[in-house]
Amino acid sequence: MTRVYLEIGPKKVFACSLDWPGWCRIDKGEEAAIDRLVDYAPRYRVIAERAGLEFAPGEPEVVTRVRGSQTTDFGVPYEVPDLDLEPLSGAEAERSVALLRAAWELFDETAGVAPEELRKGPRGGGRDRTKIVDHVTDAERAFARMVGVRHRPYKAPGDRDAMRAELAEVLSRPWEPPATTKWPPRYALRRIAWHVIDHLWEIEDRR
């Protein structure tokens, strides 16, 4: 099975895989969100294969639900399920970080060959490539602080990569409760990977 949790907002629902960080999709109801998650399995497989992992998901099985908020409806998986407070083994942490690294690599490669001006949405909205890259970069610094990794605004070309390396090292460690940072590692891995992958797919769809 594919263990899935649902974050249920007032109007929209996120379906997120508990075992494949970043594989999360949103829609207007529970079944629609699960169907959309399944629809994106071929695209997530590219990330898993880059990480050197076999990706053969079974039928999705909802194992828990959490109450969302307006932030959920805005399009961000924001709530921390109780299952994210379970111990995290070193092997599982390293596997999740491999997926995060693969997402970073694919995002950088895709952004590197995408045109600066991306196709606009039906109402003319949407950032162009540089603004998406800057948004992902700035968000990662903020996300890193949630697990105790602090870096000043980047000045040198290698500053972002240094921050990512430190973040990956921290998140590769085994973990047991109680939490000592704002985000437990399981949630941090899922949220950071989701943000990178969501914008990776945005660039792919709009280039």
Side-chain angles (χ1 to χ4, degrees):
M1 69 175 182
T2 295
R3 296 192 308 156
V4 172
Y5 78 89
L6 301 179
E7 180 176 324
I8 303 171
K11 296 181 180 179
K12 295 185 179 180
V13 176
F14 263 105
C16 298
S17 168
L18 282 162
D19 302 308
W20 294 96
W23 188 24
C24 301
R25 292 287 89 191
I26 191 172
D27 215 302
K28 293 183 178 180
E30 294 189 13
E31 292 300 323
I34 293 170
D35 288 345
R36 184 170 292 273
L37 183 75
V38 172
D39 288 344
Y40 273 73
R43 297 179 77 169
Y44 191 89
R45 180 174 289 109
V46 176
I47 296 160
E49 290 176 350
R50 173 63 68 93
L53 300 172
E54 181 182 358
F55 182 70
E59 288 295 317
E61 180 172 335
V62 177
V63 295
T64 192
R65 290 171 170 82
V66 295
R67 184 183 297 276
S69 65
Q70 298 294 339
T71 304
T72 312
D73 288 352
F74 181 71
V76 176
Y78 190 75
E79 302 301 324
V80 180
D82 288 343
L83 289 171
D84 283 345
L85 301 177
E86 293 181 350
L88 180 68
S89 70
E92 188 178 357
E94 290 175 2
R95 172 185 175 278
S96 295
V97 167
L99 290 161
L100 176 58
R101 290 185 185 277
W104 280 335
E105 291 174 5
L106 287 165
F107 177 85
D108 290 346
E109 290 173 10
T110 301
V113 298
E116 172 59 24
E117 185 174 346
L118 301 175
R119 185 170 61 249
K120 304 304 179 187
R123 298 182 183 179
R127 303 178 180 95
D128 284 330
R129 183 199 63 205
T130 297
K131 288 187 177 180
I132 293 175
V133 172
D134 289 346
H135 167 69
V136 170
T137 299
D138 291 341
E140 280 179 0
R141 285 184 54 250
F143 295 160
R145 290 196 294 272
M146 300 297 186
V147 292
V149 175
R150 300 182 180 278
H151 278 251
R152 294 181 178 180
Y154 307 136
K155 294 182 180 180
D159 286 352
R160 185 207 64 175
D161 291 342
M163 192 281 295
R164 283 181 170 178
E166 183 179 352
L167 180 59
E169 193 279 325
V170 167
L171 293 175
S172 294
R173 301 170 187 167
W175 178 85
E176 291 186 1
T180 57
T181 56
K182 187 167 184 179
W183 285 356
R186 288 181 185 276
Y187 177 79
L189 284 159
R190 184 184 313 112
R191 176 72 178 276
I192 296 168
W194 165 79
H195 193 249
V196 176
I197 293 168
D198 192 57
H199 288 295
L200 160 66
W201 289 341
E202 178 190 3
I203 293 174
E204 288 179 342
D205 290 343
R206 295 178 54 222
R207 65 188 174 185

